[in-house]
Each structure stands twice: as C-alpha cells, then as structure tokens.
Amino acid sequence: MPTSILSLCPTRLLRWLLALHLALLGCVGLAHAADALLPAEPQATPQAQIQAAAASLDKVRKSLDDAETSDTLQVLADQALKSKRDADAAVTALEPLLKQLDQRVEQLGTKVDGVEESTDLTRQRKELAQEHGDLDSAIKRGKLLSVEAAQTAESIEKLRTQQFNAQIASKALSPLSPALWKQFSEQLPLDLQRISGLTRLGQASFRAAIAEHGWAMPLRGIVLALLLLFPLRMGLRHLGYRYAASERAPDGRLRRTGLAVWLLLVGTVLPGLASLVFIEHLRAIDAITPRLQSVADAWIQAAFVAAFFLSISASTLVPKRPSWRLLAIDDIAAPTLTRYAWGAAFLTWFAMMLNAVDIAARTSAVSTVALDGLIALTYVGLILSVLVTITQQRQRLAAPATKGEHGDAGRPVQRSSWLMFAWLGGHLTVLAALVAALLGYLNFSVFVATQMVWITVVVLATSLLMKFADDLCTWFFSPDSRPGRGLAQGMGLRPTRVEQVGVLLSALLRVSLLLLGLAALTAPFGNASSLLGWTASAAQGGLPIGDTVLKPMAIGRALVVLVIGLTVFRVLQHWLVDTYLPKTDLDIGARNSISTVARYVGIILSGLWTLAALGIGFEKVALLASALSVGIGFGLQAITQNFVSGLILLAERPVKLGDRVRIGDQVGDIRRISVRATEIQTDDKSTLIVPNSELITKSVQNLTMDGALGRISIAFAVPLSTDVVRLKELLLGIYRSHEAVLEAPAPSMYVDSLSGSVINITSFGHVSSPRQVYSTRSDLLFELLRQTAEQGIALSSATDIHLVRDRADAAPVPPAAPTAPESASHTPTA
C-alpha cells in the first residue's frame, strides 16, 4: 500500500523542529560531554573512521535503488550526513598531526647535496616522508568523502522532494464518485480481515509475553504512566498557577507568558512520556510483535503531537482564567475554540494511528484514499467551525457602542490583526481543500487542511516563545529586578547598560525563534536533512575562518572567560582604589593614574585570555596588530596621538587629578584623565573636554603644581593730598586681619606712580591656594571701601574735562585750561 500523505504531516515536522531546536542549543556538545563521563571505550583511528564512513556511504548509494517510501529516503539521507560528519571529524583530527609532522621535518633540515648523512638520519627522513604521505592521502580522501556525502544527501533530499510533490499532485477518484465507494465496499471485508489478523497477532504476542514474564511489568508501566499523566501533570500545573499568582513571581507580563510556557512544557512532555513509559515496559518483555513496532512508535509520536496541540491551545486561550489570556479572544469564543482544539488534536492523533495501522496491516490503496478523503473533509469542517467562531467575535466587536466594546463577552478585547489574517487564510484553505477533494486530489486536500492546522499551531507557539523571551530578558536585565541589580553591582555597569544588554539579547532570541518557526513551516518544502546536517556539522566541526575554526563550545567558553576576566579585574581594581591606595602616601592624582592604568591592563589581559579560549594564539594577534598599524598610521593618527599622550600624562603627571589649570582663556579643575581626553570642570560647573595631545603639545599653566600659592593684587588711586603713611597702616591691617591671607610672604604695599593729581597704589598678599584668590580679594576690597570711607580717605582717579563749543558759534574757542583737582569730579577705582 502506498504511504499516506498523513505520514508527512505533522509528525515529520515536529520531529524536524525538535531536532533543529536541540541542535541550535548545542546539545551535540552536551552529548559529547556526557560521553566523556562514560567508561572509556577503544576508539577507532581517524583513518579507520574515514574507511568506515566510505563503506557506509557506499551502502547508502546501493540502497537508493530499493528505496520507495519517504521514510526510507529520510533514513538514507541521515546516514549520508553521518558519513559526512565522520569524515569531517577525521580530517579535523588528522590536520594537527600533519602540522606536527611538518615541524619534525623542519627540525631535521634540508638534505645538502654532496654531503653523506648518517644511516639513522636517513632512516628518520624516510619514515617521516612515509608518514607524511599517508596522513596527506588520508586527509585528501576524507575531504573528498565529505564532499561526496554532502552531494549524496542533497540528491536524496531532492528525490524526497520530487516524491513528495508527485504524491501531492496525484489524482484519485472523487469522493462524489460512486466508483470510489464501490471499490471501497469491495475491499473493505478484505481490509477488515487484514486488520483482524494483525490484531490477533498482537494479542498472541502479548499473551505469550504475559505467560513468560507475568503482569508485573505491564502493570508497573500502566501505574507509572497514570502517575505521569494525572497526579504529576496536574500537580505541576497547580504549582505553576500558584507561583504565578504569588508575590514571588516577577511583575509585568512575564507572569502570564511564563505560566503559559510552563503549561505548554508540562502539557506536552508528560503525556508523551507516559505513552513512552508504557510502550517501553511492553517492549521490555517482548509483548509487541515486530509488525506492530511501527504502530507503537506512532502511538508515542501521536501522543506528543496531540498533547502539543492541546497544550498550546490551553496555554494561550485559558478559557477558565480570562485574566491570564494572551490572545485577543473574548470570554465567549475562548471555550469554543478550546473545544475545537480538542477536536483537532484527536483528529490528528486518529489520523496518525490510522495511517500506522494501515501500513502495518497492508490494507488496500482504495481504503487509504477513502479514509484520507473523509479525514480531509473532517478537517475542513473543523476549520469552518473555527472561522464561524472568529466571525462571531468580529461581529461582537463591531456591535454598537451601547453594548460596549466587547459586546456581551464580559471582558474588553482589543481588535487583533492576526484574527483577520486567520479568517482570510482559513477561508482560502477551506476553498482549496474542498475544490481539491471534489476533483479527486485527496492528498493535496489533506495536506492543505493539515498544514493549516500545523501553521496555526506553529504561529501560536512561536509567538508565545517570542513574548516569553522578550519578557524574560527585559525582567532579568531590568534595573528594578534583583538579577539586574546584582549584575549591575557585580560587573560595575550602569543600570542603563544592563538594560541595553537585555534588549539586545531579547532581540537575538526573538530573531532565532522567528527563524526557527519559519524553518518549521517550510520543512515539507525544503531540505530539512541538509539543514540539520549543516547545523550538526557546525556544532561539531565549527565554522572555519582562515586557519582558525570557531566552534560553538569554544565561543561559549570564550564568552564565559571574558565575563569572568572582566569581573575579576574589576574586583581587583575596586580593591586597589578603595582598600590599598588609600593606605599609601600617594596623592589623589597618583592614585587615579594607577587605577586607570590597572583598568586598561585588565581589559587587555581579559581580551587576550578570551582570544586564547577561542584558539587564537598571540602570534596571530601580533600579526593582526602589525596589519592594523598601517591603518593606524594613516586614518587613526589623532586617536593614536591622544592615546599615547594619555599614557604620558598618566606616567609623567605634568597635570594630575585635582590640579587647577589654565588653557587659553579657560580656567578649571581637572576631574578625570583617561587615555583619550581629559575632563576639566570650569568655575561655572560646565565640563571642558580637552584631547590629551593638547595638554602635551601646547602651553598649559598649572596653577596648583608643586604647592603654588595664590597671589592677590589690589591696585587703586588716591588724591595727591592723602596721608600715605596712614593709608599703608590701614591697608596692611586689612590684609593681616583676614584669616585666609598668609603671614609669609607678608603683605606689602607700594606707591606705583604719581599721575597728575593722584597717587597710584599697588598692594600684594598671598593665600594658600589659587582657588582662594577671587573670594579673598573680594573680601579685602569690601573691607577697604568700608574703612577708607570711615577714615575719610578718598579713592579717586584723574578726570579729563573737555569743553564742547556751541554749534551756532562759528568763531573758534581755545581749549580750556585744566581745572584744579579739587573742582573735578572723582571716580574711585580699584
């Protein structure tokens, strides 16, 4: 009997999806780690591994002529890909041996013509040449075998696709044709006899096993299956609901998405495991006849698929708990759609089991065609029921505002665009399936209907997992969550940086899940085995980049090393800054230089450690640095100059942290010195960022270097008749009375000059820091103005008086003579 189209949907898709998911998670590497814990077994040499892979590939090529079913082709494709992986692994193991052999040959040196070598040296050269030839030949053979295996797998996959397309396009009698049902009625008694004979064969095998081993093993399998299916599954579901409703659960949407994923996991795994446990207990006593082994496997697969369908609907619709619902479905449509999900799950389980029984019993092709037609029409009816429910919800949403936005549903529901797409896609699917079934293309009709169900399930699962990944990353790296605060404090990052990491990781996970969902949807039309083989090869052999092979495990190890290295060096830097350096006699500038250099040294060492974990040696890093030096010389001159200048500033310390400097017309205090720029805080609290090269190549006045004092200068003028002796005592007393003015150097006053009718006075005083000059000078001026006013001492300056003639008087007027100082207006200056 030909294989039904149901064997391709959706069991094969789910198996492909799970296999790809495991490969993407690096389970190949975990399997290797688990194998390392097992007792060591003698392993074959790489040459023997290549020979075995070649024999396996030859066997696959010979079996292609007898392969008729899609399952057989799938097995052959998997064997071809396994041969490719074995060949790649052998080549990877042999290439280091060849390099070591080349190094040994180089140590012997080249043979000099005319010079006779010793017998021992000649023998070594001959042995090394023989070994080199064998290894080189094995490597070339392995690479050729890998290419041939890949081409064989690709050709098998193309053959499977052609067979699938031919099966989809095959035409049979229409369900409306009486001839189909006449042939079905004629073959039905014979098919029932075949099924009855298969049943008797199974019963006989079961009775013989019970007679030999007793009921202990089957009863134990039944008990364990029931425990998994009911108490454990229900208990885990209740535990999930209880935790999600507790205060310990994270806030936000993660409560709902986390609970939905938990229900999906529990609802899918435990029923499938219950079926697996029961079947394996029967197999342990040989209670399943060989002809029913495929039926037993179909039972396990159907249990997983049906449980997956039911779990995805229960976790997203949540008919009894509307507040936990993730879909835009009202309270009326949710229970109805849940019942339809049960119908789809049962129909899928029944179709898979019926197909397995038909293959095992070898029923007629007419029975398969008729049953496929009935199943296709049942799927169409189920899809129509779902469309009617969605249409009714759309009508409720479009109801008048007097009934509320949710109509009679009892709970507001937002309009969802995906419902429109589902409604439109469902109608197109129903139309295509009905037309194909009526025309006799029953395989195509079944395929379209089952694909509609499968697409719905995959879209729901993918959207749920994407929401969960987004919520989990957002919560885990949130500054308000405990893990986010721990990461920020432990790694010394700002909360915004931690949040950015969460956003990037969320985007990466969602893109990966989206690609995984698209791959699952296109699995029947693409080369699934080739993609799985490429994934497995990448996980085992790695991704070659030049002479370096990057493996997933190496990349993960390098990331762990990078995080550990940065964390360790950051902890050391904190200990250096907070514990050790304060106990030394170093000033704050020297401490800043040491901590900055230690930070960059830690980053460089962490980077080198990470490259070593990736398998990139220091000689390759030096080669890369030499290659980049050309670009640095031309395009990165300014950055390199500032970097080197920063190192000079940290080493020589012409300016240091806390110094007050003058650059051009800007004056401020140095707050931070990095390897690229220096931050200076001016008096108006703004920050001036100066490239380090400016501090090295240009003139900079360091106002506080070597304990420099601040000098106050006050200049003013008094009338010529002022008693300067009394003025000197008053001014110096003002200096000495101020607490900030130093006694040494002592304040001083000088007569600067005599200008006309005034005496120009200049005075000086010193304070301990240039930062005190401005405020102290202001205090001294206030006090000078107050005491001179009390003592009657005038502060003045000469004033020039100009007489402007009247414009109506044409006669010239000679300039007026200077007036006496007493009659002029005086303006005090300081």
Side-chain angles (χ1 to χ4, degrees):
M1 161 187 173
T3 304
S4 172
I5 193 66
L6 292 171
S7 63
L8 302 174
C9 318
T11 309
R12 183 68 49 75
L13 294 175
L14 183 61
R15 290 168 55 193
W16 182 90
L17 179 63
L18 294 176
L20 179 60
H21 184 55
L22 294 176
L24 292 176
L25 291 178
C27 288
V28 177
L30 295 178
H32 286 297
D35 292 339
L37 299 177
L38 298 176
E41 296 180 359
Q43 297 181 353
T45 61
Q47 292 86 342
Q49 190 174 1
I50 292 176
Q51 185 176 359
S56 177
L57 184 61
D58 291 338
K59 185 178 180 181
V60 168
R61 290 171 176 172
K62 294 178 181 178
S63 302
L64 280 177
D65 297 334
D66 299 331
E68 298 179 356
T69 64
S70 178
D71 292 336
T72 304
L73 292 175
Q74 177 66 42
V75 173
L76 295 178
D78 293 340
Q79 292 178 357
L81 291 176
K82 183 177 181 303
S83 300
K84 180 183 183 303
R85 292 193 297 268
D86 292 342
D88 292 337
V91 170
T92 304
L94 290 176
E95 285 179 343
L97 299 178
L98 185 61
K99 292 181 180 180
Q100 295 176 4
L101 198 61
D102 291 336
Q103 294 176 357
R104 293 172 60 186
V105 172
E106 290 179 359
Q107 291 177 356
L108 292 179
T110 59
K111 184 178 180 181
V112 181
D113 296 336
V115 178
E116 186 178 356
E117 295 181 339
S118 62
T119 307
D120 188 24
L121 187 59
T122 303
R123 180 180 55 80
Q124 290 183 7
R125 287 186 185 277
K126 185 177 180 180
E127 292 177 354
L128 291 177
Q130 180 66 30
E131 292 180 10
H132 187 280
D134 293 341
L135 286 177
D136 186 65
S137 176
I139 290 175
K140 291 179 179 179
R141 184 184 179 190
K143 291 181 178 180
L144 179 61
L145 180 62
S146 176
V147 174
E148 292 177 351
Q151 293 175 350
T152 303
E154 185 177 358
S155 62
I156 293 175
E157 198 66 34
K158 290 180 180 180
L159 184 61
R160 287 185 63 247
T161 303
Q162 294 174 1
Q163 188 183 70
F164 174 79
N165 294 335
Q167 193 171 1
I168 286 292
S170 62
K171 184 179 179 180
L173 295 175
S174 171
L176 301 180
S177 173
L180 174 65
W181 301 108
K182 181 180 178 181
Q183 295 179 8
F184 176 74
S185 60
E186 292 175 354
Q187 293 291 334
L188 182 61
L190 182 60
D191 290 338
L192 291 178
Q193 291 180 4
R194 293 170 179 171
I195 295 175
S196 177
L198 183 65
T199 303
R200 290 192 298 271
L201 184 63
Q203 291 176 352
S205 178
F206 181 77
R207 292 194 188 97
I210 295 299
E212 182 178 358
H213 301 282
W215 284 92
M217 189 67 70
L219 291 178
R220 185 169 63 181
I222 293 175
V223 171
L224 291 178
L226 292 177
L227 288 176
L228 290 172
L229 194 58
F230 293 106
L232 184 59
R233 183 177 64 88
M234 296 175 64
L236 292 177
R237 286 172 56 90
H238 176 72
L239 183 63
Y241 278 114
R242 184 176 179 181
Y243 177 78
S246 65
E247 296 181 355
R248 296 179 298 171
D251 297 330
R253 196 179 63 176
L254 183 59
R255 289 173 177 259
R256 293 190 297 163
T257 55
L259 176 62
V261 172
W262 175 255
L263 295 179
L264 176 63
L265 181 64
V266 172
T268 302
V269 173
L270 290 182
L273 285 180
S275 300
L276 178 63
V277 167
F278 175 69
I279 294 298
E280 291 301 323
H281 275 76
L282 293 181
R283 284 175 173 169
I285 59 174
D286 295 330
I288 302 177
T289 185
R291 285 188 61 184
L292 288 177
Q293 292 291 337
S294 60
V295 179
D297 294 335
W299 176 282
I300 298 173
Q301 296 173 3
F304 274 107
V305 172
F308 180 67
F309 283 14
L310 293 178
S311 300
I312 193 62
S313 63
S315 59
T316 53
L317 295 175
V318 198
K320 297 182 180 180
R321 300 175 184 262
S323 59
W324 295 93
R325 191 174 302 147
L326 295 172
L327 297 180
I329 301 294
D330 59 26
D331 295 346
I332 294 178
T336 305
L337 292 177
T338 302
R339 290 193 293 271
Y340 294 150
W342 277 85
F346 174 76
L347 183 60
T348 303
W349 179 88
F350 176 78
M352 295 175 65
M353 291 302 301
L354 183 62
N355 178 72
V357 171
D358 286 345
I359 295 176
R362 302 183 180 91
T363 56
S364 62
V366 175
S367 299
T368 302
V369 171
L371 292 177
D372 285 351
L374 292 177
I375 291 173
L377 294 177
T378 306
Y379 270 120
V380 170
L382 188 64
I383 296 173
L384 278 175
S385 302
V386 173
L387 293 177
V388 170
T389 304
I390 296 177
T391 302
Q392 292 175 351
Q393 174 171 316
R394 292 181 59 211
Q395 294 174 353
R396 287 193 296 270
L397 291 175
T402 54
K403 294 184 180 181
E405 285 294 327
H406 50 78
D408 301 329
R411 176 176 168 274
V413 175
Q414 297 180 351
R415 303 178 189 274
S416 176
S417 59
W418 77 267
L419 286 177
M420 175 61 69
F421 286 110
W423 182 83
L424 180 61
H427 280 81
L428 294 177
T429 301
V430 168
L431 179 62
L434 281 177
V435 172
L438 295 179
L439 293 178
Y441 294 98
L442 296 180
N443 284 340
F444 180 78
S445 177
V446 173
F447 178 76
V448 170
T450 53
Q451 281 303 298
M452 183 61 189
V453 177
W454 177 249
I455 289 173
T456 303
V457 172
V458 170
V459 169
L460 289 177
T462 304
S463 62
L464 172 60
L465 293 177
M466 290 174 63
K467 291 178 181 178
F468 173 71
D470 183 40
D471 296 340
L472 180 62
C473 293
T474 303
W475 168 80
F476 191 85
F477 293 95
S478 173
D480 300 329
S481 66
R482 183 178 299 177
R485 291 194 300 268
L487 287 174
Q489 295 174 3
M491 303 186 65
L493 299 176
R494 292 198 301 268
T496 54
R497 292 290 180 87
V498 176
E499 195 170 7
Q500 291 173 8
V501 172
V503 173
L504 293 176
L505 184 59
S506 171
L508 180 61
L509 290 178
R510 285 186 292 169
V511 170
S512 301
L513 290 171
L514 180 61
L515 294 177
L516 192 64
L518 292 176
L521 293 178
T522 58
F525 315 102
N527 297 330
S529 299
S530 300
L531 182 58
L532 288 176
W534 180 88
T535 305
S537 299
Q540 289 184 351
L543 179 64
I545 300 179
D547 296 335
T548 304
V549 179
L550 297 182
K551 297 183 179 180
M553 295 297 292
I555 295 175
R557 183 171 61 250
L559 292 177
V560 172
V561 166
L562 179 61
V563 172
I564 293 176
L566 292 178
T567 304
V568 169
F569 284 113
R570 186 173 293 275
V571 170
L572 291 177
Q573 185 188 13
H574 281 304
W575 172 83
L576 192 67
V577 174
D578 299 334
T579 305
Y580 176 72
L581 290 179
K583 303 298 189 297
T584 63
D585 297 333
L586 300 174
D587 54 40
I588 187 172
R591 298 177 191 175
N592 175 72
S593 299
I594 294 175
S595 63
T596 304
V597 172
R599 175 170 174 264
Y600 285 101
V601 168
I603 293 175
I604 294 173
L605 292 178
S606 299
L608 294 176
W609 191 13
T610 303
L611 293 176
L614 281 173
I616 301 176
F618 295 117
E619 67 280 357
K620 297 181 181 179
V621 177
L623 181 62
L624 179 63
S626 62
L628 290 177
S629 61
V630 179
I632 291 175
F634 288 98
L636 303 177
Q637 291 182 2
I639 297 177
T640 307
Q641 185 180 12
N642 290 325
F643 179 79
V644 176
S645 300
L647 297 179
I648 294 174
L649 289 176
L650 293 173
E652 293 186 357
R653 299 200 303 142
V655 293
K656 58 183 181 296
L657 202 67
D659 283 354
R660 188 170 182 83
V661 298
R662 184 191 301 275
I663 302 178
D665 58 348
Q666 297 288 339
V667 179
D669 301 326
I670 295 180
R671 295 303 182 196
R672 182 173 180 267
I673 301 176
S674 65
V675 293
R676 190 195 67 84
T678 298
E679 297 179 6
I680 300 175
Q681 188 180 55
T682 59
D683 293 334
D684 59 356
K685 301 303 180 183
S686 62
T687 301
L688 179 66
I689 300 176
V690 181
N692 290 330
S693 59
E694 297 286 330
L695 300 176
I696 295 297
T697 60
K698 295 185 178 181
S699 299
V700 178
Q701 184 181 4
N702 193 332
L703 302 177
T704 57
M705 188 174 183
D706 296 332
L709 301 178
R711 192 179 74 163
I712 301 172
S713 175
I714 299 177
F716 58 95
V718 295
L720 194 58
S721 59
T722 302
D723 186 355
V724 294
V725 176
R726 186 163 63 92
L727 177 62
K728 182 176 182 181
E729 293 177 355
L730 183 144
L731 181 57
L732 296 180
I734 293 174
Y735 273 106
R736 287 191 292 267
S737 63
H738 198 285
E739 60 181 5
V741 178
L742 301 176
E743 296 180 359
S748 58
M749 187 191 94
Y750 302 95
V751 176
D752 187 58
S753 63
L754 298 175
S755 177
S757 60
V758 297
I759 304 173
N760 294 316
I761 304 296
T762 302
S763 62
F764 300 98
H766 291 83
V767 291
S768 59
S769 172
R771 296 182 177 87
Q772 298 178 336
V773 170
Y774 194 81
S775 59
T776 305
R777 185 173 181 271
S778 176
D779 295 340
L780 295 175
L781 287 174
F782 272 112
E783 189 64 22
L784 175 64
L785 292 173
R786 186 184 67 82
Q787 293 193 21
T788 54
E790 291 178 355
Q791 298 293 332
I793 299 174
L795 302 179
S796 61
S797 63
T799 304
D800 295 334
I801 299 176
H802 302 276
L803 297 179
V804 182
R805 66 180 181 177
D806 190 358
R807 293 182 180 180
D809 188 1
V813 179
T819 60
E822 288 81 0
S823 63
S825 60
H826 301 284
T827 301
T829 61

